[in-house]
Amino acid sequence: MKRRHFIGAMALGTGGLAIGWSVWPARQRLMPSTPFPAIASQPAFNGWVRIGEDDRVTVVIARSEMGQGSHTGLAMLLADELDARWDQVQIEQAPMDDIYNNQSVAVDGLPFHPDNQGRLKRTAQFLTGKTMREFGLMMTGGSSSIKDLWLPMREAGASARAMLAQAAALQWQVPVADIVISNGVVSHASGKSARFGELATLAAQQKRPETVSLKTPAQFKLIGRPVPRIETMDKVNGRAIFGSDVRPPGLLFACIGMNPEVGGTYESLDDTLVKTMPGIKKVLAVPELYGSTTAVAVVAQTTYQAMKGLRQLPVEWCPGKATDLSDITVQNSFKEALDSNSGFTYFSEGDADSAIAASKKIIKAEYSAPYLAHAAMEPLSCTVWFKDGAAEVWASTQITDLARHVVAKVLGISSDKVKLHLTLLGGGFGRRLEMDVIAQAAFIAKSCEGTPVQALWDRTQDLQHDFYRPAAASRFTAALDDNGQLTAWHNLSTSQAVLPQVLSRLFSLPGAGPDKTTAEGAFDQAYEWPNAKISHCAVDLPIPVGFWRSVGHSHQAFFKESFVDEVAHAAGQDALAFRLSLLKNHPRHAKVLQTVAEKSAWKNTAYKAPDGSQRAMGLALHESFGSIVAQVAEVSVLQQTIKVHRVWCVIDCGTAVNPDLIAQQMEGSVAFALSAAFFGRIQLNKGRVQQSNFHDYQVLRLPDMPPVETFIMPSDAIPEGVGEPGTPPVAPAVANAVFTLTGQRLRSLPFDLAATTV
């Protein structure tokens, strides 16, 4: 695995290899390198679809389902081109093969501005896509599932459709051009017809077409419609299997407790008492694995017995390298970085420094955001059964092939000896890109060889040993001319960098060069600054950080969109008009902004609501993961408490594969973002995380969830991301509304009106 990723990196970083690599044609993503196991009654047409004699269409899914609806959206793409009925579609997990690698997530991660359409960008995207096809990962993340498989899934459906037509033409001795396929039925003008299942065996034997014609948007029957989610009934009737639902015969449960100090190590334990407790099978120390903190585990017949044993297990812990780290240490590191380091410049236009020096009106502000945990509803778990030199694994992971490799490495066997079952994920948000609990489960299973073991974290372990969204700080300076027109924009931010840590702990690779995720949301926006300099300074701190829903956009959007409002106010301009003045050459962004203003009946001053409360609206616009989102939040403030009454959300995400899924993701994004804006904060004291459960790391409760009205811009463009783009604009929209209402600027997250000055 390491060698594969090293080769991929070399393909991008070495000129000679890149030149040779570029002349090779891009390889197909239709047929796997190893044919599917033969099932007589369910022949495979390609690497993405089987059609059974019972008329069932089985769509092969290569992405994880963690609530975002990707299984439904991906199956829709194939079923529409196949012309299958939705009620005959079912899914199965993809095997391990390079055709299922996620190319888009790496291509979209390249550090180019969206407006840059130059040759260097196109070449880098082409090479990166080719590299990921050969050396990438079967990964779910970056809001990329639908975008990445938009063509492969449709081409697979169209190819199978053509083969069904060939089979019918052969059987009926008629021209293939005269065959009609619709709603799971193959027919001819002569009156002959057949169900898919009646032709499946013969059709699978036909020659696969070299090229296929894909439907136009006008021909779509499923795409663009609110098709019901494919897993809904299983969730309703209890058949759905999540990671902690797995129950192979003879299963034991292992509860894991880690050093309460981040990165701390283990000294000794006394298992004398615990080993005599009912149901206890084993007590063992678990070393640091794939970024985990050193731990102990108690293995028992039931979860309760394992938890009880863990609570009564005396353990001596040793401090780690974070022992002197507290919140004030982090804040001081950020201040030093902003004061003494110009950082890496991600975007530059004109001469911002000179324009600022020449201006008579300067606006300055500093913003900050804390560490955040993922806090998915289902805590981490993994089940491993190691016997006879092979392993069977049940994991809720966002990277299936890497999970298999990690288990094999910990067990000391080859990857082909590991069979991995991908369960549903009870939330992910980037946390299940990590391999710590999977490696721990494999380590424990090795000590219990012959018996399946399920490793479990409780909520305290989940919150106190996460790979956190980095804390960050940002410093802005803007200049206005005598007419209130913006002349310069200068922004320097600082935080830890995620990518170097991820490359190190997952692949043992060095993370060299700037990390785009640190500054995304600051430098890659559509605003037409007349003079601009946007930079980021990465700081090194011993706190584990990772990918969190919308990554750098999650805090940079709050910084940027809040300061845009500050500058608009200083210029004496309406927040909407000011933004539109900076989008003259970006009609898509302007249209999204204008639409949200229309739908919300935008008001730029406070007003009295029908219930008598004083309210105000706040506005934010942000582009992330290829999609443009504008939001308006309606807010009131009573006794230092902020209440969000309604959120209007407009998104331009290209082709809307399933409008219901998009609306659901926007609603979920608002809930996720409001949780962070009102409550989210991981605090440190001498290397220990202070939060331990939902009483001190709160999430939004149902009574506080505002109605969300989602409007999708019509488009025939390639689909872009949906799972994450709804999160970034929420906090700044609320903060901007609070200023209109109270005159107070909220420049730190989470919001605290009592601690905020005007």
Side-chain angles (χ1 to χ4, degrees):
M1 181 69 73
K2 186 192 297 186
R3 182 166 60 250
R4 286 165 54 86
H5 287 278
F6 176 75
I7 292 171
M10 287 296 291
L12 293 176
T14 305
L17 182 57
I19 292 171
W21 187 239
S22 66
V23 300
W24 292 0
R27 289 223 292 161
Q28 57 84 27
R29 299 179 72 185
L30 197 63
M31 298 301 298
S33 55
T34 302
F36 282 168
I39 301 177
S41 62
Q42 296 180 16
F45 284 63
N46 49 59
W48 302 93
V49 60
R50 300 177 186 270
I51 300 178
E53 294 176 357
D54 61 355
D55 241 20
R56 301 299 295 174
V57 174
T58 301
V59 180
V60 177
I61 299 291
R63 299 291 177 263
S64 303
E65 178 60 69
M66 47 189 165
Q68 79 278 37
S70 63
H71 284 186
T72 300
L74 293 172
M76 286 174 64
L77 300 181
L78 190 146
D80 202 325
E81 292 290 349
L82 180 61
D83 253 312
R85 298 190 320 276
W86 186 242
D87 63 3
Q88 69 185 121
V89 174
Q90 62 187 17
I91 62 173
E92 78 175 38
Q93 179 188 341
M96 305 297 171
D97 196 275
D98 289 339
I99 67 167
Y100 306 119
N101 290 345
N102 190 326
Q103 297 183 14
S104 292
V105 72
V107 172
D108 291 346
L110 294 170
F112 292 101
H113 194 284
D115 289 349
N116 180 347
Q117 299 301 323
R119 180 177 298 177
L120 176 61
K121 179 180 179 179
R122 295 196 304 271
T123 302
Q125 289 176 327
F126 175 72
L127 293 177
T128 300
K130 282 169 56 65
T131 301
M132 293 303 105
R133 164 61 174 83
E134 307 302 326
F135 309 111
L137 293 166
M138 290 174 59
M139 171 186 172
T140 305
S143 300
S144 61
S145 293
I146 299 294
K147 178 178 182 178
D148 181 63
L149 296 177
W150 168 248
L151 286 178
M153 296 297 280
R154 293 176 64 206
E155 289 169 349
S159 178
R161 185 178 188 275
M163 293 165 71
L164 285 167
Q166 292 173 28
L170 179 64
Q171 191 172 86
W172 301 334
Q173 293 298 295
V174 297
V176 69
D178 294 343
I179 298 296
V180 176
I181 300 179
S182 180
N183 293 321
V185 176
V186 185
S187 61
H188 183 260
S190 63
K192 294 178 180 179
S193 68
R195 295 176 291 103
F196 281 3
E198 294 175 295
L199 293 170
T201 300
L202 179 61
Q205 297 169 2
Q206 302 304 303
K207 182 179 179 181
R208 294 177 184 85
E210 295 291 331
T211 59
V212 291
S213 296
L214 299 178
K215 289 183 177 181
T216 65
Q219 296 172 313
F220 291 153
K221 295 180 180 178
L222 294 174
I223 296 171
R225 288 165 174 74
V227 175
R229 290 177 69 131
I230 206 164
E231 82 280 8
T232 295
M233 285 310 300
D234 283 349
K235 289 178 177 177
V236 170
N237 60 33
R239 285 198 304 260
I241 300 297
F242 293 83
S244 53
D245 292 328
V246 173
R247 293 293 184 273
L251 179 67
L252 297 177
F253 298 88
C255 286
I256 297 171
M258 284 166 279
N259 188 326
E261 186 173 305
V262 174
T265 56
Y266 158 86
E267 184 170 301
S268 64
L269 61 82
D270 182 357
D271 61 1
T272 305
L273 173 64
V274 172
K275 287 171 66 174
T276 65
M277 294 173 63
I280 302 298
K281 296 296 184 181
K282 189 179 288 288
V283 178
L284 69 159
V286 183
E288 178 183 342
L289 295 165
Y290 289 86
S292 70
T293 296
T294 304
V296 294
V298 176
V299 184
Q301 289 179 319
T302 69
T303 306
Y304 174 75
Q305 291 168 336
M307 285 183 173
K308 188 175 180 180
L310 185 62
R311 291 192 186 104
Q312 298 189 36
L313 181 66
V315 184
E316 292 291 331
W317 300 111
C318 295
K321 56 186 177 181
T323 192
D324 296 325
L325 196 68
S326 297
D327 287 348
I328 189 65
T329 317
V330 176
Q331 294 166 13
N332 289 340
S333 297
F334 289 165
K335 185 178 187 307
E336 182 181 352
L338 292 174
D339 288 343
S340 63
N341 198 315
S342 60
F344 178 84
T345 299
Y346 284 84
F347 180 81
S348 180
E349 183 74 34
D351 189 343
D353 292 333
S354 296
I356 290 170
S359 176
K360 295 179 181 178
K361 188 163 188 178
I362 306 295
I363 305 97
K364 295 184 177 183
E366 292 189 10
Y367 289 80
S368 64
Y371 290 105
L372 292 176
H374 295 83
M377 287 295 100
E378 182 189 22
L380 298 178
S381 68
C382 179
T383 302
V384 179
W385 192 349
F386 180 47
K387 62 177 180 178
D388 302 326
E392 195 164 2
V393 180
W394 292 262
S396 52
T397 177
Q398 291 178 242
I399 317 182
T400 51
D401 48 350
L402 180 59
R404 186 176 73 149
H405 164 76
V406 166
V407 170
K409 186 174 181 180
V410 172
L411 295 177
I413 59 179
S414 61
S415 293
D416 60 5
K417 295 292 186 181
V418 178
K419 181 179 182 181
L420 188 139
H421 304 276
L422 176 63
T423 69
L424 293 172
L425 283 60
F429 316 123
R431 180 60 178 93
R432 286 177 164 87
L433 292 167
E434 301 290 345
M435 295 291 133
D436 47 348
V437 71
I438 292 172
Q440 289 176 334
F443 182 87
I444 297 166
K446 190 174 184 179
S447 72
C448 301
E449 187 170 355
T451 305
V453 180
Q454 186 173 108
L456 301 162
W457 287 21
D458 64 17
R459 182 62 65 186
T460 299
Q461 303 303 316
D462 186 44
L463 285 175
Q464 295 185 347
H465 296 282
D466 201 348
F467 298 99
Y468 304 101
R469 195 285 306 274
S474 189
R475 178 176 291 170
F476 289 92
T477 304
L480 298 172
D481 64 17
D482 294 339
N483 297 317
Q485 299 300 306
L486 181 72
T487 59
W489 178 276
H490 189 285
N491 176 212
L492 173 63
S493 56
T494 182
S495 70
Q496 290 174 258
V498 171
L499 193 56
Q501 282 200 21
V502 171
L503 290 175
S504 175
R505 64 177 170 253
L506 295 188
F507 308 112
S508 299
L509 291 173
D515 176 5
K516 175 207 173 187
T517 68
T518 60
E520 63 184 5
F523 83 94
D524 50 1
Q525 299 303 296
Y527 291 129
E528 298 150 15
W529 318 118
N531 295 281
K533 184 179 181 182
I534 302 173
S535 309
H536 183 86
C537 175
V539 298
D540 187 20
L541 295 168
I543 298 298
V545 293
F547 297 112
W548 191 89
R549 190 176 191 174
S550 73
V551 203
H553 295 280
S554 66
H555 47 270
Q556 292 287 4
F558 168 65
F559 302 158
K560 178 260 302 177
E561 282 299 291
S562 297
F563 191 63
V564 166
D565 254 48
E566 291 206 44
V567 177
H569 180 75
Q573 297 187 40
D574 169 67
L576 172 65
F578 183 75
R579 285 174 170 84
L580 288 172
S581 73
L582 298 173
L583 295 170
K584 294 176 180 177
N585 298 315
H586 291 82
R588 284 182 62 208
H589 297 75
K591 184 63 176 175
V592 169
L593 198 56
Q594 290 165 338
T595 302
V596 80
E598 293 166 6
K599 298 298 184 182
S600 65
W602 165 253
K603 302 174 183 65
N604 62 4
T605 58
Y607 56 93
K608 185 170 287 189
D611 65 359
S613 64
Q614 194 77 356
R615 299 185 188 180
M617 290 181 173
L619 178 68
L621 172 74
H622 195 77
E623 178 179 358
S624 62
F625 305 94
S627 292
I628 306 162
V629 175
Q631 292 174 345
V632 167
E634 183 184 45
V635 171
S636 67
V637 175
L638 180 64
Q639 297 178 347
Q640 299 293 83
T641 298
I642 303 168
K643 181 173 179 59
V644 180
H645 294 273
R646 187 173 299 275
V647 174
W648 292 266
C649 178
V650 175
I651 180 170
D652 184 340
C653 57
T655 296
V657 174
N658 187 322
D660 276 4
L661 295 180
I662 295 170
Q664 290 164 14
Q665 284 303 293
M666 294 304 103
E667 292 162 5
S669 293
V670 169
F672 196 79
L674 287 177
S675 296
F678 288 144
F679 314 113
R681 177 192 286 137
I682 288 294
Q683 296 169 295
L684 296 159
N685 184 24
K686 296 182 179 179
R688 297 191 176 200
V689 172
Q690 301 303 292
Q691 284 68 29
S692 61
N693 212 311
F694 286 128
H695 70 286
D696 53 9
Y697 192 84
Q698 295 185 54
V699 296
L700 199 72
R701 268 50 173 186
L702 279 174
D704 298 319
M705 178 64 192
V708 179
E709 296 185 29
T710 299
F711 304 91
I712 304 167
M713 300 297 290
S715 175
D716 292 337
I718 293 173
E720 297 289 352
V722 170
E724 295 167 279
T727 296
V730 177
V734 173
N736 293 336
V738 169
F739 174 77
T740 299
L741 204 56
T742 68
Q744 291 179 279
R745 285 289 178 197
L746 300 173
R747 297 192 180 101
S748 297
L749 294 171
F751 297 147
D752 185 354
L753 277 172
T756 303
T757 58
V758 177

